[in-house]
């Protein structure tokens, strides 16, 4: 991927207030700022901030720290910011005192999904290994069965029938990994699946039964009150009544919305500030869709983490959940807290640090394996021209028998067949029935060699053992690569990006004397815990509840498009989803895919034969000649089932989609309820429901009539007439629906930005070095 380094402005430390923002080594610019930076030293010039901002905007350079992240996505960052949205001081968060598209450098935050995370593409065999282990851990009692020889024999047979690449070595590796997971499962009921550089976590018995009952009861009531129809209904929708800049009233100067008296603050505060993004073109050199929402932000609720002396021992929601009335649905709040208690340990295992893979690859290779690599050694002894030989001679008959035995071998499977050095595939229609007369000894042997040559999927445990992999000592590849042309990005000490690459003047696969040192894996901190790291400030979480209603007239709900949650503005880094209730609807699954690197320049000199072997190794189709038809750099990791009660957590750096749902009995109706919790990156603090008085007109109007006798004496028509005079206070449903439509459009633009900007796999076909 491309990466860019731009100029940085050096300026002294400046007082942090609402108009002038300063962090170590960076000048952070607000669009309304007009103050000058007073130099600390004589050789540092005074800078008129508003002038710089105009110049920066004109040339589409980001004005926050003037640096780019390591993925080259065009996202500006500022280091060392201290966010807060507490009651004692003005809000200091993106959009409030900071430009909306400023963010922390990569080493000071978690990875989000908008061009912020990519991982090495997995080989096709490793991908099948992940899917096999995911399937086995779905079997009830799997943690005991992996130590039972009879169960293992059945699974081994099923695996060989269902997955083509589960070889004996791959099965042995999977069994070792499953047994280690089963031992850990005895201590905590969490299972990591599809776990490579990123990971998904699932748990079946982690949510108490009483919590599931409370959720089912509360969601049923929500559905009745919402008068849901066929299809997907969003009962608690974070895109309805969001934070709308310049419209939503916010307690920007301090103060909080009390959870038990949320209507005491209605009408207070001031509209949020206008947002003037610093990089509306998203890239300094080419215009791309804008992955932030300039106008809207989801409103998370505040979650207090349990500390010493906390009797409940569970997280507590301390501000109202947007669109979930805290009094009318008060029973749902403790149920949500119980789900949060279960989700946080799972989020610990899936949140991603940029540029840091969670696990090393099980099969590491920088090239494809071709067998047989060369024609038989006796090929040069065969006569090239048939007329130059005596068919009756003893030498000819001996060579003919040798060739006939060679031709009797089965051809390579079509899926593994490789082209010759010119990119041509052998004629598969020729049956060699008259090979001696039509081809001769030499040509028949050469033709058969081309039909025997196949790509061989590399095996695990070849270049490093399972135990070495567990320790992170997994740097040695099965096929060494040529790394002279591929840069690697690492966070620098000051938050910037340093470029390091290893030099190799020869392709190691062709010259064993060439020694290339590949780094070992750096493991994640096993003691990392969101509860400990952010105990004082707490977490921010977005809640979403949906119901899918199917009927004989509408028995299907189509699958979703690939997407991430929200835009960069929402700072969502992880999610947890659970199917709360399902009636007459088949078990749902959620698919995952990730942006996956495959740097051609690491693979040395690739001719068509080696290139096709590499494509087969990584599960890629043969590269088309036209650029528009080339495969985007995504890899589908697999699916995780969502039976009722299973909690599944995953990083928002992975794109996901819910699979289609259908009725089990097509003659009867059915429904399915789903709860999703979205984790805001705790390195930030966003404006939340603690800072925004309730915006829903229906909540305010119902609360204003409570305790009054006279409305009870009026007909409903007159009450509705009175309500019509104040229908847009605080915000009407019509205006909220208009905001919702615009917010959905911003999310679509964000996804288009990702799809537009992701690389496509491209290799130079023919002799010469591949194209990076």
């Amino acid at each position: 991927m491309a990466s860019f380094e731009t100029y940085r402005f050096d300026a002294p430390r400046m007082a942090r207030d609402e108009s002038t923002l300063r962090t170590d080594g960076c000048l952070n610019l607000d669009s309304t700022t007009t103050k000058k930076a007073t130099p600390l030293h004589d050789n540092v010039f005074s800078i008129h901030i508003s002038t710089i901002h105009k110049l920066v905007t004109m040339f589409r350079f980001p004005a926050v720290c003037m640096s780019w992240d390591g993925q080259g996505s065009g996202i500006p960052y500022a280091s060392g910011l201290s966010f807060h949205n507490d009651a004692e001081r003005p809000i200091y968060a993106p959009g409030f005192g900071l430009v909306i598209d400023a963010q922390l450098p990569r080493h000071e935050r978690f990875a989000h999904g908008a061009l912020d995370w990519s991982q090495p593409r997995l080989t096709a065999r490793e991908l099948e290994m992940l899917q096999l282990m995911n399937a086995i851990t779905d079997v009830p009692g799997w943690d005991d069965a992996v130590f039972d020889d009879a169960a293992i024999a059945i699974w081994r047979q099923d695996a060989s029938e269902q997955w083509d690449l589960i070889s004996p070595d791959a099965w042995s590796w999977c069994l070792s990994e499953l047994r280690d997971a089963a031992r850990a499962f005895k201590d905590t009921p969490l299972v990591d699946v599809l776990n490579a550089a990123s990971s998904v976590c699932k748990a079946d018995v982690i949510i108490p039964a009483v919590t599931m009952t409370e959720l089912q009861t509360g969601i049923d009531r929500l559905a009745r009150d919402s008068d849901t129809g066929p299809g997907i209904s969003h009962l608690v929708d974070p895109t309805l009544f969001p934070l709308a800049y310049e419209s939503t009233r916010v307690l920007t100067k301090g103060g909080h919305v009390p959870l038990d008296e949320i209507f005491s603050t209605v009408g207070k505060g001031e509209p949020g500030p206008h947002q003037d993004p610093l990089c509306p073109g998203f890239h300094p050199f080419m215009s791309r869709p804008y992955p932030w929402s300039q106008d809207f932000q989801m409103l998370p609720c505040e979650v207090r983490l349990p500390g010493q002396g906390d009797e409940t021992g569970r997280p507590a929601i301390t501000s109202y959940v947007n669109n979930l009335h805290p009094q009318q649905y008060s029973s749902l709040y403790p149920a949500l807290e119980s789900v949060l208690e279960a989700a946080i340990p799972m989020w610990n295992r899936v949140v991603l640090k940029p540029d840091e893979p969670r696990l090393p690859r099980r099969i590491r290779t920088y090239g494809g394996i071709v067998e047989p690599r060369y024609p038989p050694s006796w090929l040069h002894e065969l006569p090239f021209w048939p007329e130059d030989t005596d068919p009756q001679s003893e030498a000819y008959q001996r060579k003919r028998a040798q060739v006939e035995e060679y031709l009797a071998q089965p051809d390579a499977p079509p899926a593994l067949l490789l082209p010759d050095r010119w990119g041509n595939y052998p004629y598969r229609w020729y049956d060699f029935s008259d090979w001696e007369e039509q081809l001769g000894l030499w040509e028949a042997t050469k033709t058969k060699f081309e039909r025997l040559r196949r790509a061989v999927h590399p095996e695990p445990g070849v270049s490093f053992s399972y135990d070495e992999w567990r320790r992170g000592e997994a740097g040695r590849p099965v096929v060494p690569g040529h790394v002279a042309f591929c840069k690697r990005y690492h966070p620098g000490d000051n938050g910037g990006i340093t470029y390091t690459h290893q030099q190799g003047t020869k392709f190691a696969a062709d010259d064993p004397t060439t020694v290339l040192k590949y780094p070992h894996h750096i493991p994640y901190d096993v003691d990392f815990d969101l509860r400990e790291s952010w105990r004082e400030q707490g977490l921010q979480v977005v809640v979403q509840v949906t119901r899918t209603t199917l009927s004989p007239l509408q028995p299907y709900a189509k699958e979703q498009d690939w997407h991430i949650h929200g835009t960069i503005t929402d700072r969502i880094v992880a999610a947890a989803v659970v199917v709360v209730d399902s009636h007459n609807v088949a078990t749902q699954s959620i698919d995952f895919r990730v942006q996956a690197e495959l740097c051609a320049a690491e693979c040395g000199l690739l001719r068509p034969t080696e290139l096709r072997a590499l494509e087969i190794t990584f599960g890629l189709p043969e590269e088309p000649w036209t650029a528009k038809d080339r495969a985007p750099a995504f890899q589908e990791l697999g699916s995780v089932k969502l039976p009722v009660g299973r909690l599944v957590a995953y990083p928002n750096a992975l794109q996901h989609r819910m699979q289609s749902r259908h009725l089990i009995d097509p003659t009867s109706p059915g429904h399915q309820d789903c709860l999703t919790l979205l984790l805001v990156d705790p390195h930030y603090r966003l404006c939340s429901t603690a800072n925004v008085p309730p915006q829903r007109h229906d909540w305010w109007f119902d609360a204003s009539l409570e305790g009054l006798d006279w409305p009870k004496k009026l007909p409903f028509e007159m009450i509705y007439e009175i309500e019509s005079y104040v229908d847009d206070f605080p915000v009407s449903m019509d205006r909220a629906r208009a905001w919702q439509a615009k917010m959905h459009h911003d999310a679509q633009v964000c996804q288009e930005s990702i799809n537009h900007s992701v690389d496509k796999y491209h290799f130079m076909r023919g002799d010469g070095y591949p194209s990076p």
Side-chain angles (χ1 to χ4, degrees):
M1 291 186 178
S3 182
F4 303 93
E5 281 290 321
T6 56
Y7 299 105
R8 299 175 64 116
F9 290 108
D10 292 322
R13 181 182 301 274
M14 297 160 61
R16 230 183 230 152
D17 57 34
E18 293 185 44
S19 58
T20 306
L21 311 173
R22 173 67 184 134
T23 57
D24 295 336
C26 305
L27 181 62
N28 305 295
L29 307 181
D30 190 314
S31 61
T32 61
T33 302
T34 56
K35 295 185 179 181
K36 292 184 179 181
T38 304
L40 183 64
H41 304 290
D42 294 337
N43 60 347
V44 180
F45 294 96
S46 297
I47 304 174
H48 196 283
I49 297 178
S50 61
T51 302
I52 294 177
H53 181 270
K54 292 178 181 178
L55 291 173
V56 166
T57 303
M58 179 175 63
F59 289 104
R60 286 183 175 173
F61 280 87
V64 178
C65 193
M66 292 303 293
S67 295
W68 300 98
D69 69 349
Q71 294 292 332
S73 60
I75 301 174
Y77 64 77
S79 179
L81 299 179
S82 178
F83 305 97
H84 55 77
N85 69 326
D86 51 45
E88 288 74 26
R89 48 187 171 170
I91 301 176
Y92 186 76
F96 295 86
L98 272 176
V99 288
I100 193 66
D101 47 7
Q103 67 175 357
L104 294 170
R106 299 175 65 78
H107 66 287
E108 294 182 16
R109 58 177 173 81
F110 294 131
H112 55 72
L115 298 173
D116 196 48
W117 173 265
S118 64
Q119 61 192 51
R121 187 177 179 92
L122 303 178
T123 62
R125 191 186 297 277
E126 181 173 353
L127 195 60
E128 285 199 4
M129 292 167 62
L130 292 179
Q131 294 166 357
L132 169 63
M133 290 186 285
N134 179 37
I136 289 178
T137 54
D138 277 342
V139 178
W142 70 272
D143 53 312
D144 293 323
V146 293
F147 300 101
D148 184 345
D149 292 340
I152 291 172
I154 296 174
W155 287 346
R156 178 70 186 94
Q157 180 64 29
D158 292 343
S160 63
E161 295 174 357
Q162 186 173 354
W163 285 281
D164 296 332
L165 301 180
I166 302 301
S167 62
D169 288 342
W171 171 256
S172 177
W173 183 291
C174 290
L175 186 58
S176 298
E177 196 167 339
L178 285 167
R179 285 175 171 172
D180 281 346
R183 297 183 185 100
F185 186 78
K186 304 298 182 183
D187 298 327
T188 176
L190 307 181
V191 183
D192 297 323
V193 294
L194 308 182
N195 51 336
S198 56
S199 181
V200 177
C201 187
K202 64 183 181 182
D204 287 319
V205 294
I206 200 170
I207 301 177
V210 64
T211 298
M212 293 297 296
T213 302
E214 292 172 351
L215 288 172
Q216 291 167 2
T217 303
I219 293 176
D220 281 341
R221 184 183 171 193
L222 268 171
R224 290 193 303 269
D225 294 346
S226 303
D227 191 21
T228 59
I232 300 176
S233 302
H234 298 279
L235 306 181
V236 178
D237 189 351
T239 65
L240 188 64
F241 295 95
L243 169 62
Y245 296 109
E246 300 187 76
S247 297
T248 296
R249 288 191 170 273
V250 183
L251 305 178
T252 57
K253 297 181 180 179
H256 263 191
V257 179
L259 181 58
D260 53 348
E261 296 181 2
I262 60 174
F263 299 108
S264 63
T265 57
V266 173
K268 297 182 180 179
E270 54 191 20
H274 169 74
Q275 300 302 320
D276 189 6
L278 291 172
C279 52
F282 181 40
H283 200 284
F285 304 113
M286 60 187 73
S287 179
R288 293 182 177 180
Y290 188 63
W292 288 268
S293 175
Q294 184 178 343
D295 302 312
F296 305 100
Q297 175 212 295
M298 294 183 189
L299 280 173
C301 64
E302 299 288 340
V303 177
R304 185 183 69 242
L305 296 173
Q308 295 181 352
D310 192 324
E311 297 181 358
T312 64
R314 67 168 52 168
I317 297 176
T318 59
S319 69
Y320 70 93
V321 174
N322 198 22
N323 297 303
L324 184 64
H325 200 293
Q327 280 79 47
Q328 294 182 13
Y329 304 101
S330 57
S331 62
L332 272 176
Y333 276 68
L336 292 175
E337 292 170 352
S338 180
V339 178
L340 275 169
E341 183 181 15
I344 291 175
M346 301 175 72
W347 283 336
N348 292 337
R349 300 164 75 122
V350 301
V351 289
L352 296 171
K353 302 174 183 178
D355 308 309
E356 296 185 28
R358 281 195 163 270
L359 290 175
R361 282 167 281 179
R362 295 162 179 81
I363 303 173
R364 188 171 186 175
T365 179
Y366 292 100
I369 301 174
V370 179
E371 289 184 0
R373 188 173 180 85
Y374 303 107
S377 58
W378 43 265
L379 177 65
H380 69 281
E381 301 175 358
L382 300 178
F384 187 81
W385 303 108
E387 57 269 20
D388 292 344
T389 60
D390 181 6
Q392 305 302 323
S393 67
E394 181 179 351
Y396 178 87
Q397 292 299 324
R398 185 173 60 253
K399 292 177 182 178
R400 183 187 184 283
Q402 190 177 26
V403 172
E404 194 168 23
E405 181 181 0
Y406 187 74
L407 298 180
Q409 301 179 74
D411 291 344
L416 302 179
L417 191 65
L418 301 175
D420 60 21
R421 60 181 300 177
W422 297 279
N424 300 317
Y425 284 89
Y427 297 109
R428 297 192 64 82
W429 54 266
Y430 189 73
D431 59 4
F432 288 101
S433 59
D434 56 350
W435 63 269
E436 187 175 8
E437 180 179 350
Q438 296 292 329
L439 302 177
L441 301 184
W442 189 94
E443 186 66 26
T445 304
K446 182 65 168 59
T447 301
K448 185 63 177 182
F449 163 71
E450 293 173 352
R451 290 168 61 161
L452 289 174
R453 186 168 45 184
R454 70 189 71 192
V456 178
H457 289 276
E459 295 277 1
V462 174
S463 52
F464 48 82
S465 67
Y466 173 76
D467 291 334
E468 289 176 321
W469 176 80
R470 294 287 295 178
R471 296 193 300 267
E473 300 172 5
R476 298 182 299 276
V478 178
V479 177
H482 193 305
V483 294
F485 304 99
C486 192
K487 291 183 177 180
R488 289 300 186 197
Y489 310 110
H490 303 283
D493 295 336
N494 61 353
I497 301 298
T498 61
Y499 304 114
T500 64
H501 60 277
Q502 298 167 316
Q503 292 289 348
T505 57
K506 298 179 181 179
F507 185 32
D510 291 333
D511 186 356
T513 62
T514 300
V515 178
L516 302 177
K517 295 182 179 180
Y518 297 88
H520 288 312
H521 174 72
I522 301 176
Y524 267 49
D525 182 5
V526 294
D527 296 325
F528 168 76
D529 192 344
L530 291 166
R531 292 167 295 193
E532 295 298 329
S533 300
W534 283 277
R535 185 181 301 279
E536 292 186 6
Q537 76 174 40
L539 302 177
Q540 294 181 314
V541 174
V542 175
V543 178
Q544 179 178 344
V545 179
T546 60
R547 165 165 287 195
T548 302
T549 304
L550 303 178
S551 68
L553 296 177
Q554 187 176 339
Y556 296 94
K558 67 178 183 179
E559 70 178 8
Q560 295 177 330
D561 295 327
W562 290 108
H563 67 286
I564 62 171
H565 289 290
T567 66
I568 303 181
T569 306
D570 304 311
R571 320 281 170 166
I572 305 298
V573 294
V577 59
V578 58
V579 173
V580 176
D581 189 22
S582 184
H583 173 68
N584 194 32
V585 176
T587 299
Q588 189 178 0
S589 295
I590 180 171
D591 299 331
F592 296 99
R593 77 173 184 180
V594 67
Q595 187 176 343
E597 299 174 345
L598 181 55
C599 187
E602 293 181 344
C603 302
L605 184 64
L606 291 182
R607 293 183 175 87
T609 300
E610 288 77 14
L611 172 56
R612 183 65 193 130
L614 182 73
E615 291 171 338
I616 292 173
T617 296
F618 287 96
L620 289 170
E622 189 167 8
E623 180 186 329
W625 288 101
T626 57
K628 66 181 181 64
D629 295 328
R630 290 172 185 149
F634 290 114
Q635 184 172 36
E636 295 188 22
L637 299 176
S639 303
V640 177
K641 292 182 178 179
L642 285 172
V644 174
R646 168 178 287 180
L647 188 62
V648 174
Y650 54 91
N652 198 36
L654 300 183
Q655 294 189 21
H656 70 281
R657 66 180 178 189
M658 291 292 184
Q659 290 185 357
S660 60
R661 283 141 286 177
H662 62 88
L663 292 173
I664 299 174
D665 179 4
T667 63
S668 301
H671 71 267
Q672 186 180 80
D673 299 331
C674 188
L675 166 67
T676 304
L677 303 177
L678 307 178
L679 175 67
V680 174
D681 191 340
H683 293 93
Y684 298 89
R685 298 299 289 178
L686 300 186
C687 177
S688 73
T689 55
N691 313 110
V692 177
Q695 301 183 83
R696 294 187 62 130
H697 165 76
D698 54 342
W699 287 13
W700 167 81
F701 189 76
D702 291 343
S704 65
L705 298 182
E706 289 182 3
L708 299 179
D709 291 331
W710 63 265
K712 302 175 183 177
K713 303 175 183 180
L714 299 177
F716 287 112
E717 293 81 2
M718 189 169 292
I719 294 177
Y720 293 149
E721 180 68 19
I722 296 173
E723 183 181 8
S724 66
Y725 288 100
V726 288
D727 65 342
D728 202 32
F729 180 83
V731 177
S732 68
M733 183 61 71
D734 289 341
R735 186 149 62 115
R737 293 294 185 192
W739 291 353
Q740 183 183 48
K742 293 179 181 178
M743 196 170 183
H744 287 172
H745 175 264
D746 288 349
Q748 291 175 358
V749 171
C750 177
Q751 190 61 44
E752 290 173 5
S753 173
I754 299 171
N755 297 338
H756 176 82
S757 303
V758 71
D759 290 339
K760 291 187 176 183
Y761 295 120
H762 174 42
F763 302 94
M764 181 185 294
R765 308 195 75 88
D767 293 344
Y769 288 102
S771 174

